[in-house]
């Protein structure tokens, strides 16, 4: 056993059972900051001073001075001088806020996302944070669920690439590097499949669906070395994840070999009572520790019941020892025993957080995250276009950071108006809000007056950031309030107009798509949002974003996703009149905008898609090549996508699955041959007996600019 482990073992042996159990509690910083008694919701935790000064970790505290003060006071009151771990939700930046993850994923640039996580880790660690509850890698198919904003979309393979990128960015050279933070992947597992998109709702699916679609990205984070896993509020196979022994001990620790720390989500241990699998707090504590949850976040069933459960012989103290050892090891890996203040640095905090270099990266990522959905000759605007009217609730709103924006401050965000003024000068910009985001307010006359003075119009529309994120479920996912009324009136004028959307989910914008000549999906673009949008609208950046989550034609179509099954009665072409097939009477099957979709200011042509062989052997490889030509007048980036279909297998298989992509830059007129290597491991799936293998037979390879416009070539696995 290594020296460190020997030392930790000795420390563990010197702790009382009560002290050990307290290490398994995570509480909010209020308990360390208060002067008087704790009141309000925290009161129900009924924590004594002794428990508070033996709790193992704290969540939500940020700031070098604050965290150092809490740590100092804590260590003065802790018999063993075991430092606290400081954890927080650094989801898409700490003080410099990057676009929401669903936006960053549209960059199809894992390296850039890794860079953003690196910066987030640097800023957070300087502010005294040791662990981030990120990445959230829940696969999503239902935009009614507000937390789609935190995810990277509907494809398991792409989600896995981003999961790895986030973990690498956060953990960097290792947890001993004081500018890194430990990564806690969440929410294990399949939280994104809540029924009807209603947060915290039932999740129920086959094990095959769980393994094929929902689990891969968590496994990718574990394989990349994430230090922690957070359990989901929801159920797997009718058992809440937080007390699910199959999920945590058999699969996560057994099958995947994860030996890091498992933490519950906020109150999730206690919520197993409401779920109906624990009669009381004692049973909740028993089931959670037996399932393998090491840290109970913000409920106190462990500290109130584990000691007696051990004394009654119902829970083996060894389970507590192994949990506490994992927590102590994490503190060791973070270097907290050597330096409990780790990277916290009040002086560096003033110069590093939100520095120009970080803002520059935020601007670059935001521009790559935006998706040009429509452009009928409107964009890019010429910088000498004359007067530009910015109309709508997001014309000069600064709440553009999105949910989970940690220490980001709206007042530090570059608004759309500021970005446009910086681009073309104050004298060329007219602003009229026209209506607010949510309400009934509507001032059409001011909006029309502004529009009539302008040579071009930007309609700045969207959701309020509180309409997505946790507990942000919406049954109707249209533009809220009177925004569509405003848009209709302004578009009536027939001037060059682009709609810029600020939103945390795919919206139902079918009518807007019909009446607007140009639409730019800006998502919640973060601190540099206004500058990034201006860079795109005026052509300094050619948009290259591609959707990673389908935009439904209507909410009635949900869930709609590209990697679906064919069914026994596929509809085939959209104009198919045959009644008795899988279709709607009133809408198309296809989404409004499909997975992988996005436009550029130039055009690309795909030709000569060939396979160097149409027979693939188990240890062989096929080279799929396609020629991509920039047929437009501007340089631009194209995301060349490879999909594969397993036409017939022992279980039904998706009509296509993303298996590769290359983001390439082409000058006007330039052609490039893009090659993809297809090998047998890419064809493996969970068969009837859940063995993860390929099966010989017919396959189809597809390449194209998105999941709907594809060239195809058949091949066979022999
Ligand atoms: C929340 C969220 C989780 C977050 C945790 C701590 O309820 O579900 O994503 O990390 O609490 O804030």
């Amino acid at each position: 056993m290594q020296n460190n482990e020997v030392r930790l073992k000795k420390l563990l042996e010197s702790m009382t059972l009560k002290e050990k159990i307290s290490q398994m509690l995570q509480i909010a910083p209020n308990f360390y900051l208060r002067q008087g008694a704790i009141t309000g919701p925290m009161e129900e935790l009924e924590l004594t001073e002794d428990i508070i000064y033996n709790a193992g970790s704290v969540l939500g505290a940020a700031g070098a001075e604050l965290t150092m003060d809490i740590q100092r006071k804590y260590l003065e009151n802790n018999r063993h001088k075991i430092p606290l771990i400081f954890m927080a939700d650094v989801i898409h930046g700490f003080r410099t806020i990057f676009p929401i993850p669903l936006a960053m994923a549209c960059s199809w640039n894992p390296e850039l996302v890794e860079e953003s996580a690196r910066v987030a880790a640097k800023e957070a660690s300087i502010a005294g944070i040791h662990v981030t509850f990120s990445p959230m890698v829940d696969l999503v198919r239902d935009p009614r669920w507000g937390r789609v904003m935190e995810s990277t979309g509907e494809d398991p393979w792409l989600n896995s690439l981003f999961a790895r990128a986030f973990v690498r960015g956060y953990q960097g050279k290792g947890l001993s590097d004081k500018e890194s933070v430990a990564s806690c992947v969440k929410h294990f597992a399949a939280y994104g499949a809540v029924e009807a998109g209603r947060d915290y709702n039932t999740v129920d699916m086959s094990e095959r669906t769980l393994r094929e679609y929902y689990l891969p990205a968590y496994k990718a984070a574990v394989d990349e070395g994430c230090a922690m896993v957070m359990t989901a509020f929801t159920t797997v196979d009718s058992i809440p994840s937080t007390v699910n022994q199959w999920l945590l001990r058999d699969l996560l620790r057994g099958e995947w070999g994860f030996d890091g720390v498992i933490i519950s989500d906020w109150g999730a241990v206690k919520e197993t009572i409401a779920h109906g699998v624990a009669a009381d707090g004692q049973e909740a504590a028993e089931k959670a520790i037996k399932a393998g949850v090491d840290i109970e976040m913000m409920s106190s069933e462990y500290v109130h019941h584990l000691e007696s459960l051990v004394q009654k012989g119902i829970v083996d103290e060894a389970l507590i020892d192994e949990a506490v050892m994992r927590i102590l090891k994490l503190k060791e890996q973070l270097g907290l025993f050597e330096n409990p203040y780790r990277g916290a640095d009040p002086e560096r905090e003033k110069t590093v957080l939100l520095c120009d270099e970080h803002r520059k990266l935020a601007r670059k990522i935001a521009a790559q995250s935006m998706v040009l959905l429509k452009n009928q000759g409107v964009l890019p605007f010429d910088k000498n276009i004359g007067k530009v009217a910015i109309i709508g609730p997001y014309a000069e709103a600064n709440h553009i950071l999105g949910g989970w924006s940690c220490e980001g401050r709206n007042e530090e965000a570059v608004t759309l108006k500021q970005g446009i003024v910086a681009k073309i000068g104050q004298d060329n910009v007219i602003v009229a809000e026209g209506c607010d985001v949510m309400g009934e307010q509507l001032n059409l006359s001011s909006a029309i007056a502004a529009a009539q003075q302008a040579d071009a119009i930007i309609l700045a529309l969207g959701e309020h950031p509180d309409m997505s994120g946790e507990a942000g479920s919406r049954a109707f996912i249209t533009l809220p309030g009177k925004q569509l009324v405003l848009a209709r009136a302004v578009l009536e004028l027939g001037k060059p107009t682009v709609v810029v959307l600020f939103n945390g989910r795919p919206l139902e914008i079918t009518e807007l798509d019909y009446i607007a000549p140009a639409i730019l999906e800006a998502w919640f673009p973060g601190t540099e949002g206004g500058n990034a949008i201006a860079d795109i609208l005026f052509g300094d950046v050619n948009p290259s974003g591609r959707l990673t989550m389908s935009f439904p034609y209507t909410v009635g179509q949900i869930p709609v996703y590209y990697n679906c099954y064919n069914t026994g009665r596929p509809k085939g072409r959209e104009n198919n009149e045959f009644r008795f097939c899988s279709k709607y009477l009133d809408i198309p099957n296809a989404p409004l905008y499909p997975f992988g979709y996005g436009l550029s200011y130039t055009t690309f042509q795909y030709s000569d898609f060939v396979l160097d062989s149409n027979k693939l052997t188990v240890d062989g490889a096929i080279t799929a090549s396609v020629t991509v030509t920039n047929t437009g007048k501007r340089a631009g980036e194209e995301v060349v996508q490879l999909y594969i279909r397993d036409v017939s297998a022992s279980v039904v298989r998706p009509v296509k699955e993303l298996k590769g992509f290359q983001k390439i830059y082409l000058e006007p007129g330039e052609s490039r041959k893009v090659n993809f290597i297809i090998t047998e491991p890419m064809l493996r799936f969970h068969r009837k007996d859940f063995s993860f293998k390929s099966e010989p037979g017919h396959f189809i390879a597809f390449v194209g600019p998105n999941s709907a416009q594809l060239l195809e070539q058949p091949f066979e696995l022999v």
Side-chain angles (χ1 to χ4, degrees), residues 506-522:
L507 293 174
E508 179 183 322
I509 51 170
T510 307
E511 182 186 342
L512 196 63
D513 175 64
Y514 186 70
I515 60 176
I519 303 175
L520 177 68
E521 176 53 80

Side-chain angles (χ1 to χ4, degrees), residues 59 89 133 147 186-187 230 233 265-266 297 404 470:
L59 83 159
D89 293 283
F133 297 129
R147 303 198 75 164
K186 67 187 183 185
H187 306 83
M230 182 189 294
F233 290 120
D265 203 336
W266 186 298
M297 182 197 292
W404 296 111
E470 184 170 356

Side-chain angles (χ1 to χ4, degrees), residues 24 49 106 154 185 224 284 309 341 376 387 502 536 549 557 583 600 605 611 639 677 679 696:
M24 301 165 73
E49 287 289 299
C106 294
E154 70 192 47
V185 68
E224 196 64 39
L309 284 166
Y341 307 104
Q376 288 176 332
K387 293 241 184 276
F502 296 79
I536 286 195
M549 187 176 183
Q557 194 181 48
K583 70 176 185 182
S600 168
Q605 185 184 57
L611 307 181
V639 181
I677 305 299
T679 56

Side-chain angles (χ1 to χ4, degrees), residues 17-27 31 44-48 50-57 269 281-282 284-286 288-289 294-309 311 320:
L17 178 56
K18 200 185 280 290
E19 287 168 337
K20 288 189 282 189
I21 292 167
S22 299
Q23 275 294 316
M24 301 165 73
L25 171 65
Q26 176 170 101
I27 49 180
F31 291 92
E44 70 190 28
L45 295 183
E46 293 172 16
L47 301 180
T48 62
D50 189 41
I51 290 174
I52 290 169
Y53 285 102
N54 279 288
S57 54
V269 170
Q282 177 173 283
E286 178 194 346
I289 187 70
D294 301 317
I295 297 179
E296 178 180 11
M297 182 197 292
M298 281 304 287
S299 61
S300 51
E301 307 317 327
Y302 275 8
V303 291
H304 289 313
H305 300 291
L306 278 185
E307 190 175 8
S308 62
L309 284 166
Q311 286 155 355
I320 289 162

Side-chain angles (χ1 to χ4, degrees), residues 131-148:
V131 175
T132 177
F133 297 129
S134 175
M136 184 275 217
V137 301
D138 305 332
L139 183 129
V140 290
R141 293 171 165 172
D142 191 330
R144 292 171 293 184
W145 191 48
R147 303 198 75 164
V148 300

